[in-house]
Amino acid sequence: QSVKEIEAGAFGALHEFPDGAVIVDGCVLGVNGKVSGVMRLPSGTRMVVPYAFYYQDIEGIVLPEGVEKVDEYAFMCCEKLKVVQVASSVTNIKANAFYQCPNIEEAEIPIFQEHISTIFPDSYNRITSLKICSEGVYLTDSAFSECNGLVSVDLSGTPIATIGNHTFAGCERLLSIEMPSTVKVVGESAFRHCYGLTNVVFSEGLQSIGDHAFEECSSLERVEVPCGVKCIGSRVFYGCNGLTVVTLRDGVECIGPE
């Protein structure tokens, strides 16, 4: 457990190891030969080093609880990779961890501080299904903005209290989102220009909806604001031309202009 860092290529002769992932002291160094299908790393794995799965044919990868770090280029050029499942224990995913992985469609990931394109630079616009599995309480500003392929988002089961500003802005194909009961704040422009969004179910714990939060969500038809909401910002539903029913419960104290 004294090993803190292993340089890429340190174990070049991977053919000398048994089939499957080469793991030393919890660090995935690479694989022997070509691997395909869905790979689940074993318990006890702590990190994946750069280029560990370089040019592999895997279609799915599962990083279980206990994994803490995924280094840059760890899954570089895994062109067949479609499904990524990352446990909430992972607190450090380096930029370009999934570089040149253009076909990822489904991702289960913890909360991180950068835009999703830093991790999935070649597929963030192809991801259709997203699930957040983190223990964090703040969904980062602009984290998933302009993810034009995104259709569904599942936040249920997380303790998220705040959906940040512009978090899903410009996700034009987003149809639905499941919010946990812990959400108290929907930030400014959080879902602005989500033209495909048809239905939003707010949690009973919601307290405020920021300015422009659902502006130009032209497919939105019905909205029911729970009784805990005290403040609704300005232009929250501006340009929602399909909106026919808005239900406000007792407790709303301020509504912004337009």
Side-chain angles (χ1 to χ4, degrees):
Q1 296 183 353
S2 60
V3 176
K4 296 182 179 179
E5 185 173 355
I6 300 175
E7 294 291 336
F11 292 79
L14 296 181
H15 62 276
E16 297 180 4
F17 291 89
D19 290 340
V22 179
I23 303 175
V24 175
D25 193 26
C27 301
V28 180
L29 307 181
V31 293
N32 180 29
K34 281 283 187 181
V35 293
S36 59
V38 177
M39 175 168 278
R40 180 183 178 89
L41 297 183
S43 59
T45 303
R46 295 187 295 106
M47 66 177 291
V48 184
V49 304
Y51 306 104
F53 289 88
Y54 181 64
Y55 260 117
Q56 292 299 323
D57 290 336
I58 55 174
E59 297 175 14
I61 183 69
V62 180
L63 304 181
E65 288 293 334
V67 177
E68 299 171 357
K69 180 182 180 181
V70 181
D71 249 318
E72 63 268 27
Y73 307 118
F75 295 91
M76 182 176 176
C77 295
C78 291
E79 297 179 352
K80 296 183 179 181
L81 187 61
K82 294 182 178 181
V83 180
V84 174
Q85 185 176 333
V86 180
S88 60
S89 61
V90 177
T91 56
N92 189 354
I93 305 179
K94 293 293 188 180
N96 295 316
F98 294 88
Y99 184 66
Q100 293 187 359
C101 298
N103 295 307
I104 297 174
E105 298 175 354
E106 299 180 23
E108 179 175 341
I109 55 177
I111 295 174
F112 48 91
Q113 300 304 312
E114 297 83 14
H115 189 270
I116 191 174
S117 62
T118 62
I119 297 172
F120 303 109
D122 303 289
S123 58
Y124 76 95
N125 262 334
R126 293 182 62 91
I127 294 174
T128 59
S129 176
L130 176 70
K131 183 175 181 179
I132 303 297
C133 62
S134 180
E135 295 299 316
V137 296
Y138 187 89
L139 205 54
T140 310
D141 294 354
S142 303
F144 307 102
S145 61
E146 309 296 334
C147 291
N148 294 326
L150 197 59
V151 175
S152 65
V153 175
D154 185 0
L155 305 178
S156 63
T158 68
I160 292 170
T162 300
I163 297 176
N165 300 332
H166 305 275
T167 298
F168 295 100
C171 295
E172 298 178 357
R173 295 182 58 200
L174 184 62
L175 299 178
S176 64
I177 181 165
E178 293 186 43
M179 296 189 192
S181 59
T182 52
V183 172
K184 296 180 179 180
V185 177
V186 175
E188 295 180 9
S189 301
F191 297 94
R192 189 179 189 181
H193 296 164
C194 292
Y195 303 123
L197 194 63
T198 58
N199 184 45
V200 177
V201 179
F202 295 116
S203 66
E204 288 299 320
L206 189 66
Q207 296 177 358
S208 68
I209 304 173
D211 298 345
H212 312 282
F214 296 93
E215 184 172 317
E216 301 289 347
C217 292
S218 53
S219 297
L220 197 61
E221 298 176 353
R222 301 174 63 90
V223 172
E224 183 171 334
V225 179
C227 59
V229 174
K230 295 181 178 180
C231 185
I232 299 175
S234 64
R235 298 169 69 99
V236 168
F237 300 109
Y238 183 82
C240 296
N241 299 326
L243 193 60
T244 57
V245 178
V246 177
T247 303
L248 301 178
R249 303 297 182 186
D250 293 338
V252 176
E253 297 176 358
C254 63
I255 299 176
E258 297 189 67

